[in-house]
Amino acid sequence: MTKEKESAPHLVGQFEQWKLARSANGSGWFDAVRESAISRFAEIGIPTPKMEDYRFTNLAPLARGSFQHIAIAGDNKNKLDPDPYLYGDSTAVEIVVRNGCLESVSAAGDLPEGVVVVPLSEALHSYRELVEPHLAQYAPIESEGLAALNTAFLEEGLFVHVPRNVILQKPVHILYLTDPGDRETVSYPRNLWILEEGADLTILESYAGDREATYWTNTLTEIVLGENAALRHYKLQLESEKAYHIGRLHAKQERASRLSTYSISFGSRIARNDVNLALEGEGIHSIMDGLYLGDNDQLIDHHTFVDHVSPNCESRENYKGILSGKSKGVFNGKILVRRDAQKTDAVQTNRNLLLSDHATINTKPQLEIYADDVKCTHGATIGQLDRESLFYLQARGIDKDTARSILINAFAGEIVERLEFEPMRSRVESLLYDRLPGGSALKEWR
Amino acid sequence: MLEIKELKARIGDKEILKGINLTIRAGEVHALMGPNGSGKSTLAQALAGREEYEVTGGEVTYEGKNLLDLAPEDRACEGIFLAFQYPVEIPGVSTLYFLKAAMNAMNKYHGRSALDAMDFLALAKKKMSDLNMDQSLLHRSVNEGFSGGEKKKNEIFQMAMLDPKLAILDETDSGLDIDALRIVADGVNRLRDPARAILVVTHYQRLLEYIVPDRVHVLSDGRIVKSGGKELALELEKRGYSWVKEQAGDTSPAVS
Amino acid sequence: MKTSDDELQSIVEKQEYKWGFVTDIESDRAPKGLNEEIVRFISAKKEEPEWLLEWRLKAYRHWLTLEEPKWPMLKYGPIDYQDAYYYAAPKEKLASMDEVDPELIETFNKLGIPLEEQKALAGVAVDAVFDSVSVATTFREKLHEDGVIFCPFSEAVKDHPDLVRKYLGSVVPYSDNFFAALNSAVFTDGSFCFIPKGVRCPMELSTYFRINEANTGQFERTLIVAEEGSHVSYLEGCTAPMRDENQLHAAVVELVALDDAEIKYSTIQNWYPGNKEGVGGIYNFVTKRGACRGRNSKISWTQVETGSAITWKYPSCILQGDNSVGEFYSVALTNNYQQADTGTKMIHIGKNTKSTIVSKGISAGRGQNSYRGLVQIMKGATNSRNFSQCDSMLIGNDCGAHTFPYIDVRNPSSQVEHEASTTKIGEDQIFYCHSRGIALEDAVNMIVNGFCKEVFRELPMEFAVEAQKLLAVSLEGSVG
């Protein structure tokens, strides 16, 4: 029987232990929030399938007693090479966080004046005046146990503050790595990105871990976009196929701001991504795209929520899934159009390819509309590769596996092509080829 | 080159080909005519290896090999090209990429080295201008958003690029205006070659004014009921298909 | 010239509910409240066999363990299940048509449902249910000639016990949900239809439900069985008096289609919706489900939902037989304070099964309209297809339209497509009509009817016209 809630007392217990361990760093101004977050977590625990939002995603494995806070778990002998995941100093400002601890910050000497790009640990100390008004202001700590848990333990991550009208040409990249280890560990990456009026920036976020490691990443990002600010955000999730990835993003958008957020999910045993956009001003434009690839026993769950609060905003959402093996896909997309949000123009689509007899998909595209002068459409499709197309390719001499790969790649291409940041796009393309049968041949022909 | 003996095929429970006999030699152009529903397209698609058409009897020998044993892609690599009656749209795959994949597959099949990318592009552009095709089509998704004429030209363009031994044109003329028809026919005529055979499947005699066949066959109710020289097409145009049916002793109502 | 929302609104508001009168007739009631004694009382009134009483009691006991579903997007105060009468029937149950209380005949005449066969709509047989009992069923003899059984449910229990026992609860078990359990315990009447092998039912079958008594709930139960190769079209309609209290209606409908059989089930639901301020109206909690048990069977639901304060209803199809087909066509209109949470479930089990869903929601006033649907493709449902289209139209600023489609696919060879859109009546559309000399109300009706066309097309002809008129009436005053 599924339970009403999964309490995880050992995680609460680790909080005390962790507090003692870090007391050397001095207690901070944020400690009161941590305390209330951990007691809230103790009350509500880890969500269970009894809750509508977790109906298809059973997180009971997370409640097991074996996940150790990564800082308590101790050092690892083998280190994962970060290079395959980095883009290079000349391309991006890069920060690497390994096992929850800061490893490196690339030279960022040429940043425009007033721009702050620092690890969160540093921001908590040195930029309290910038951090305090926003940190933990947007994530639903009261209702989501795992958001509360992240808030209690938050320490490392990416803090970005871009002042008024500053355009940052160079993208900022944060890479979270988890090394192989004997124990099952959990880490709590936390990001806070603040773009003031007219600021413009690209942020890359990558997650990777040792192939054999069983670990849990519980990450949370809060974004504030001031008037007319623009952010392009790419999240690439390449965790180990034994890992658990819980990701949550909350963005608050002000008047005429533009946000594009892309979620590429290839890794994890269970991946759960919540993307929440609040459109709180007129003339906002939001894009929310995603591509998920599931194989073997993977479960990949995306829950997205666009809250149209103000009139004249536009949101575009396009998620595509490719599922093989015994993998499961879950998509839940909700568009809420509030009473005042007249002239809203919202489009949401979720398309899925099921490639094996044992793969399954649950999709629920929802519209909840309280304003009458709106244009909202949503659509969902589930299907297999088109037989006509397969035959057409075969009739041109292309073998069946390759033909399938070409069509799968074309299906994914709609999302991949939208990744404006070229190095990211080619990385995703190449990762995609690696996962397709006969994909190596396709790679050569490009 | 191609020898079809007593070929029978069906879709689901419906028998469509009821014993086809046809021999085509290298260098020849054959026209296969017949009313709608007589089995023309079925024959064309069955030769290309479409799985939905179940061959229930007879044999097909191509270049000394049993064609029916080969997978569709192997037939293509062996030099059989089918110009589709309804070319398929493949969103997200550019025409250029599609062709490259096809040519590389064939090169690999024959153990030849891959074509140089620059040579390939130059060749593609040349063939396109021969067909009076807009070169931007190369970068658009295969057939997606193409006009009817563009789709048919794209088939002929692919044929020119892939250089087949046996080309089967399935109603390539239908839906084309006269200018496009001329361009398509020119494209086909340019490929006439002593080493190549061409089978033109059509409902109308019109195309055969531009692509003059060596032999004309009339298909009716799953069988070839009459064969002759190019004059047969003209005769058919004058008398209609009912004439052939009568001659064949078929008393079922005429379709013209 | 611009048409303001207030103008639009006022068109929807003008209309009064025309069916809101009360028939003054003496009635026989069970004591107020619900307990095992009441269940026994109802069973005894109906002179039921022991097995049926046992079944009711099991359902009642199960109901006690359940809670009202919380997931629908519906807001209403707590329902006091002890503050209602579970049985009410006009006194003096009469045996034949000649003896039907003239008051009742007059009531049904007023509702446009003549019970004398010579006056009745040709080609439609009617079972008239008044509160808890069926008062008359027309054309029974004529149907009997073809072997078609069409009679009140309580009579079927007596005359065809084997059939009832075989199929009752076989599609909607008493344990299915809160309201189905309640219905199974206290259901009173309803219709029973049985179409034997190979018979094409010669006329439309129809049941008209009328709630009259105050403080009563209506709990009818309908069972339609179509044997191999048979075909039937069935229609139900319903109305109730205008009262300030909310009244409960919790029905269960079960359909069974065997090999090559086809059932077409149409509903025109026009229960009292409450007044402009949202006072009164029927709470309509209905479980409708059809089982396509046989190969090539087909079940088609069409509903036009304009009434009730609250509608909770998901007519569903279980596509068990290979090549079976399920359809759902719905128009749901909510005006003033009406709320509807309605949709369908299509469960694909057999191979090559197909389903189509077309849902049109219209919200006006402060109405809240939700489409909630499930399309489930099970592992063995090779080559199954679903197409869903859910469109919403909003009239005015205070209403809401919501779409909650659940799609669950476990077979890779299936294709599922879902499309949804939300629009308002465009000013340009109204202007265009105006410029052709069409008055606002007519323009709105025209646009709304156009919006619903795909659904109306599915109704039997006689009722399609009725449905259009009903929609126009329900919308009157909403636009201006």
Side-chain angles (χ1 to χ4, degrees):
Chain A
M1 281 305 286
T2 48
K3 297 187 218 164
E4 293 285 348
K5 78 170 203 186
E6 284 283 2
S7 51
H10 64 289
L11 294 171
V12 180
Q14 284 173 27
F15 183 72
E16 290 304 316
Q17 220 183 325
W18 174 75
K19 232 168 50 177
L20 281 175
R22 65 186 286 279
S23 64
N25 303 346
S27 72
W29 55 268
F30 192 66
D31 287 355
V33 183
R34 295 184 194 279
E35 294 288 347
S36 76
I38 196 72
S39 49
R40 186 63 190 150
F41 174 74
E43 279 164 42
I44 58 179
I46 291 169
T48 80
K50 283 258 172 189
M51 301 159 125
E52 175 68 22
D53 274 349
Y54 292 85
R55 225 170 109 167
F56 302 105
T57 302
N58 191 344
L59 298 178
L62 300 182
R64 278 188 289 116
S66 44
F67 286 102
Q68 274 281 336
H69 189 294
I70 202 154
I72 308 170
D75 259 357
N76 294 291
K77 288 169 228 98
N78 304 314
K79 289 208 184 305
L80 197 65
D81 178 12
D83 285 350
Y85 306 104
L86 294 174
Y87 295 97
D89 287 359
S90 54
T91 313
V93 179
E94 300 196 290
I95 295 181
V96 179
V97 172
R98 185 188 291 276
N99 303 327
C101 297
L102 180 68
E103 176 163 274
S104 64
V105 182
S106 71
D110 50 357
L111 287 183
E113 209 188 315
V115 173
V116 181
V117 176
V118 296
L120 186 68
S121 53
E122 186 185 332
L124 284 168
H125 282 110
S126 316
Y127 295 96
R128 179 177 169 179
E129 72 289 356
L130 295 177
V131 174
E132 195 169 6
H134 298 294
L135 186 63
Q137 296 302 307
Y138 312 104
I141 290 154
E142 279 306 301
S143 56
E144 288 285 343
L146 297 177
L149 192 64
N150 176 289
T151 302
F153 284 107
L154 71 87
E155 182 150 50
E156 206 46 279
L158 173 64
F159 176 75
V160 173
H161 181 269
V162 186
R164 200 163 164 253
N165 292 333
V166 173
I167 297 169
L168 199 57
Q169 298 292 354
K170 209 172 185 181
V172 177
H173 180 209
I174 175 93
L175 168 64
Y176 295 98
L177 285 177
T178 306
D179 287 330
D182 307 333
R183 313 187 63 171
E184 298 186 348
T185 56
V186 50
S187 66
Y188 303 98
R190 178 75 169 229
N191 303 309
L192 176 61
W193 307 331
I194 303 158
L195 278 73
E196 288 194 353
E197 185 186 332
D200 186 309
L201 164 74
T202 298
I203 295 181
L204 317 166
E205 190 188 358
S206 307
Y207 294 84
D210 179 70
R211 289 171 62 94
E212 292 303 314
T214 305
Y215 59 91
W216 166 20
T217 307
N218 180 4
T219 172
L220 206 159
T221 299
E222 289 173 298
I223 301 173
V224 185
L225 290 189
E227 278 192 25
N228 205 32
L231 172 66
R232 290 157 303 280
H233 166 231
Y234 305 88
K235 176 177 171 182
L236 183 55
Q237 188 266 99
L238 303 171
E239 308 269 29
S240 130
E241 270 196 44
K242 292 180 177 169
Y244 299 87
H245 181 95
I246 306 291
R248 178 172 277 283
L249 180 152
H250 286 266
K252 175 184 185 282
Q253 289 190 254
E254 289 169 12
R255 193 186 175 87
S257 61
R258 298 175 302 285
L259 170 66
S260 313
T261 174
Y262 302 89
S263 166
I264 310 291
S265 290
F266 288 0
S268 298
R269 164 79 182 76
I270 293 180
R272 163 67 179 236
N273 262 307
D274 280 88
V275 184
N276 296 275
L277 310 185
L279 280 51
E280 300 178 7
E282 290 200 39
I284 291 169
H285 187 82
S286 306
I287 293 174
M288 206 198 288
D289 284 353
L291 177 65
Y292 46 97
L293 218 63
D295 200 352
N296 303 319
D297 286 321
Q298 284 183 277
L299 186 164
I300 302 180
D301 175 350
H302 279 90
H303 267 62
T304 69
F305 177 45
V306 185
D307 187 355
H308 280 269
V309 180
S310 311
N312 293 306
C313 295
E314 213 174 84
S315 65
R316 293 286 177 273
E317 179 174 7
N318 190 354
Y319 269 76
K320 287 190 141 183
I322 300 165
L323 301 160
S324 34
K326 282 192 261 175
S327 66
K328 266 176 77 176
V330 178
F331 176 83
N332 187 104
K334 180 167 167 180
I335 297 173
L336 171 64
V337 180
R338 295 187 192 254
R339 245 197 93 176
D340 294 334
Q342 295 293 0
K343 305 274 179 203
T344 289
D345 180 349
V347 179
Q348 180 196 65
T349 51
N350 172 233
R351 300 193 191 289
N352 298 281
L353 271 183
L354 283 190
L355 298 176
S356 90
D357 287 345
H358 301 285
T360 61
I361 172 80
N362 280 288
T363 171
K364 185 178 156 206
Q366 307 176 55
L367 295 175
E368 208 178 314
I369 296 168
Y370 297 93
D372 71 339
D373 190 7
V374 298
K375 228 165 62 189
C376 294
T377 58
H378 68 182
T381 60
I382 294 144
Q384 54 185 344
L385 294 174
D386 181 42
R387 290 169 68 154
E388 285 278 333
S389 305
L390 269 178
F391 176 63
Y392 193 56
L393 286 159
Q394 281 179 282
R396 295 291 175 264
I398 299 163
D399 69 85
K400 216 166 184 173
D401 267 355
T402 310
R404 281 167 64 89
S405 291
I406 287 176
L407 294 176
I408 295 166
N409 195 50
F411 176 83
E414 194 192 344
I415 302 295
V416 177
E417 276 163 20
R418 294 188 206 194
L419 305 173
E420 280 174 59
F421 180 59
E422 202 285 324
M424 170 85 167
R425 185 171 64 238
S426 40
R427 178 161 300 172
V428 171
E429 271 174 352
S430 150
L431 287 164
L432 196 59
Y433 288 139
D434 291 345
R435 292 275 294 255
L436 301 176
S440 52
L442 297 190
K443 216 170 181 173
E444 285 165 26
W445 300 338
R446 284 198 52 78
Chain B
M1 179 179 281
L2 181 75
E3 198 174 359
I4 306 173
K5 276 189 199 156
E6 281 303 312
L7 182 69
K8 291 182 182 157
R10 64 179 184 196
I11 307 177
D13 297 336
K14 202 175 167 210
E15 183 153 57
I16 306 214
L17 301 182
K18 300 174 179 171
I20 301 275
N21 291 291
L22 180 64
T23 303
I24 303 177
R25 275 175 284 273
E28 292 179 348
V29 174
H30 287 234
L32 184 66
M33 303 184 70
N36 289 328
S38 58
K40 301 188 301 285
S41 283
T42 304
L43 178 62
Q45 302 225 21
L47 290 176
R50 180 150 201 148
E51 282 165 30
E52 281 85 343
Y53 299 98
E54 191 193 342
V55 174
T56 52
E59 52 189 76
V60 182
T61 317
Y62 166 76
E63 299 261 276
K65 294 189 185 84
N66 180 358
L67 186 70
L68 301 176
D69 279 354
L70 299 177
E73 59 269 32
D74 294 341
R75 298 183 195 198
C77 291
E78 287 286 349
I80 294 184
F81 179 91
L82 171 66
F84 283 54
Q85 183 182 2
Y86 303 109
V88 180
E89 297 184 3
I90 309 182
V93 176
S94 77
T95 303
L96 189 66
Y97 177 75
F98 173 74
L99 254 182
K100 245 198 252 179
M103 292 186 79
N104 279 304
M106 291 182 187
N107 285 333
K108 200 171 142 203
Y109 185 86
H110 294 290
R112 295 190 296 247
S113 58
L115 200 68
D116 175 79
M118 295 320 282
D119 294 349
F120 171 80
L121 198 61
L123 184 66
K125 288 192 167 160
K126 162 83 174 54
K127 302 274 184 196
M128 280 197 119
S129 65
D130 286 349
L131 284 164
N132 207 3
M133 281 172 78
D134 181 355
Q135 303 207 343
S136 70
L137 296 183
L138 266 184
H139 300 284
R140 280 172 42 195
S141 291
V142 178
N143 293 324
E144 194 184 35
F146 285 28
S147 70
E150 281 171 340
K151 282 184 184 172
K152 295 296 174 85
K153 281 187 195 171
N154 193 19
E155 294 294 291
I156 301 304
F157 164 62
Q158 290 176 34
M159 179 168 85
M161 291 295 289
L162 298 176
D163 194 25
K165 285 187 202 154
L166 171 64
I168 304 165
L169 277 59
D170 189 3
E171 304 218 6
T172 300
D173 55 327
S174 59
L176 289 186
D177 62 38
I178 195 73
D179 291 336
L181 186 72
R182 270 200 205 107
I183 292 168
V184 164
D186 281 353
V188 176
N189 286 328
R190 215 170 287 133
L191 288 174
R192 288 184 90 142
D193 186 294
R196 191 182 339 257
I198 299 175
L199 176 62
V200 181
V201 176
T202 181
H203 184 79
Y204 308 104
Q205 187 270 338
R206 189 177 68 149
L207 178 68
L208 304 181
E209 285 175 23
Y210 300 96
I211 305 173
V212 181
D214 300 306
R215 296 286 292 167
V216 174
H217 311 277
V218 182
L219 194 63
S220 176
D221 193 27
R223 288 191 184 84
I224 290 180
V225 293
K226 198 168 178 61
S227 297
K230 60 185 176 220
E231 339 62 66
L232 179 59
L234 291 169
E235 188 121 28
L236 269 178
E237 177 78 0
K238 259 185 259 154
R239 303 203 185 188
Y241 285 116
S242 51
W243 163 70
V244 192
K245 284 193 170 184
E246 278 159 29
Q247 288 220 321
D250 186 343
T251 50
S252 64
V255 189
S256 60
Chain C
M1 198 186 70
K2 211 175 127 173
T3 311
S4 74
D5 287 328
D6 291 345
E7 275 180 276
L8 281 170
Q9 189 58 42
S10 72
I11 290 197
V12 193
E13 274 167 10
K14 272 186 293 194
Q15 193 59 30
E16 284 289 321
Y17 187 71
K18 289 177 182 164
W19 305 266
F21 64 90
V22 180
T23 307
D24 189 12
I25 195 162
E26 224 187 317
S27 83
D28 186 8
R29 291 197 300 205
K32 216 177 203 177
L34 181 55
N35 49 52
E36 286 203 11
E37 282 318 301
I38 294 293
V39 176
R40 288 176 197 279
F41 175 92
I42 294 169
S43 189
K45 270 276 171 202
K46 302 268 172 196
E47 297 163 12
E48 285 175 357
E50 188 61 26
W51 66 265
L52 192 51
L53 173 63
E54 280 309 312
W55 192 74
R56 284 176 181 275
L57 288 170
K58 261 195 272 177
Y60 174 72
R61 288 166 199 149
H62 186 73
W63 178 74
L64 291 175
T65 69
L66 299 175
E67 274 178 37
E68 259 177 74
K70 297 276 186 294
W71 45 261
M73 246 183 89
L74 300 169
K75 281 190 198 123
Y76 55 91
I79 299 172
D80 183 353
Y81 291 91
Q82 297 305 334
D83 188 32
Y85 296 99
Y86 286 82
Y87 182 86
K91 267 206 174 127
E92 291 171 53
K93 201 163 174 281
L94 305 162
S96 83
M97 195 66 238
D98 307 332
E99 295 171 79
V100 175
D101 190 323
E103 192 68 37
L104 284 175
I105 294 184
E106 184 47 33
T107 299
F108 281 96
N109 274 337
K110 247 166 121 177
L111 295 169
I113 315 289
L115 297 180
E116 294 102 325
E117 289 188 5
Q118 57 274 24
K119 289 190 196 160
L121 205 53
V124 184
V126 180
D127 182 16
V129 177
F130 192 82
D131 290 331
S132 302
V133 293
S134 167
V135 294
T137 309
T138 61
F139 296 111
R140 286 169 69 168
E141 290 313 308
K142 189 173 168 9
L143 290 167
H144 190 72
E145 287 165 22
D146 287 296
V148 174
I149 304 170
F150 179 47
C151 67
F153 201 92
S154 42
E155 270 184 54
V157 171
K158 287 183 195 137
D159 301 345
H160 311 282
D162 293 345
L163 283 175
V164 174
R165 204 169 175 176
K166 182 169 175 192
Y167 291 107
L168 178 71
S170 77
V171 186
V172 181
Y174 67 76
S175 55
D176 193 79
N177 67 68
F178 181 85
F179 296 107
L182 176 63
N183 174 286
S184 303
V186 301
F187 74 89
T188 45
D189 227 326
S191 301
F192 174 79
C193 317
F194 177 82
I195 325 297
K197 225 173 191 169
V199 171
R200 222 187 144 82
C201 187
M203 38 189 5
E204 297 276 343
L205 304 185
S206 159
T207 305
Y208 195 92
F209 295 99
R210 173 73 179 172
I211 296 179
N212 187 62
E213 221 18 59
N215 290 320
T216 56
Q218 193 177 51
F219 305 92
E220 84 272 3
R221 187 133 193 146
T222 297
L223 173 58
I224 301 178
V225 178
E227 281 202 325
E228 290 85 350
S230 68
H231 180 285
V232 62
S233 170
Y234 177 93
L235 184 122
E236 62 173 0
C238 38
T239 54
M242 293 161 67
R243 293 188 202 281
D244 287 348
E245 309 84 51
N246 297 110
Q247 278 176 283
L248 183 62
H249 172 255
V252 171
V253 175
E254 296 178 279
L255 313 182
V256 178
L258 302 183
D259 286 359
D260 305 301
E262 184 177 340
I263 302 176
K264 189 172 173 59
Y265 194 108
S266 313
T267 304
I268 294 183
Q269 188 266 102
N270 186 26
W271 294 119
Y272 177 53
N275 70 7
K276 259 182 279 182
E277 282 72 46
V279 177
I282 301 290
Y283 286 174
N284 189 33
F285 296 97
V286 175
T287 306
K288 290 184 169 176
R289 195 173 304 152
C292 283
R293 296 237 167 104
R295 290 174 60 88
N296 311 318
S297 56
K298 178 177 175 184
I299 289 180
S300 176
W301 297 100
T302 305
Q303 60 173 26
V304 177
E305 304 278 318
T306 57
S308 297
I310 302 272
T311 298
W312 177 97
K313 181 179 170 189
Y314 316 91
S316 306
C317 297
I318 298 170
L319 304 170
Q320 204 174 340
D322 289 352
N323 313 321
S324 58
V325 176
E327 293 176 343
F328 174 76
Y329 298 93
S330 169
V331 166
L333 180 143
T334 53
N335 195 1
N336 300 321
Y337 283 85
Q338 282 178 277
Q339 303 173 63
D341 193 302
T342 183
T344 183
K345 285 194 256 185
M346 293 290 174
I347 313 292
H348 292 252
I349 300 170
K351 294 191 183 70
N352 305 315
T353 45
K354 285 192 178 59
S355 63
T356 304
I357 299 172
V358 176
S359 162
K360 305 280 178 178
I362 302 156
S363 312
R366 293 177 181 276
Q368 296 293 330
N369 208 322
S370 302
Y371 167 82
R372 188 183 302 276
L374 168 67
V375 174
Q376 191 167 42
I377 313 273
M378 307 302 271
K379 221 171 194 66
T382 314
N383 284 322
S384 293
R385 299 278 178 275
N386 161 267
F387 175 75
S388 308
Q389 187 190 331
C390 305
D391 298 324
S392 307
M393 182 178 268
L394 293 138
I395 303 174
N397 281 331
D398 300 315
C399 51
H402 320 296
T403 321
F404 306 97
Y406 293 72
I407 304 168
D408 177 359
V409 180
R410 304 174 194 181
N411 182 301
S413 63
S414 51
Q415 301 273 356
V416 175
E417 276 181 71
H418 172 93
E419 284 173 16
S421 72
T422 302
T423 45
K424 78 178 291 189
I425 294 187
E427 277 158 15
D428 46 348
Q429 291 172 311
I430 289 183
F431 175 70
Y432 188 77
C433 293
H434 277 329
S435 70
R436 296 286 177 274
I438 300 162
L440 184 62
E441 265 183 46
D442 294 336
V444 169
N445 279 334
M446 209 161 77
I447 293 163
V448 171
N449 271 312
F451 178 71
C452 302
K453 204 180 205 141
E454 286 156 281
V455 176
F456 289 158
R457 208 167 51 196
E458 296 298 321
L459 285 170
M461 229 218 320
E462 302 87 326
F463 301 105
V465 182
E466 204 59 34
Q468 277 191 28
K469 278 193 218 151
L470 184 59
L471 204 65
V473 162
S474 307
L475 263 180
E476 260 177 54
S478 73
V479 251

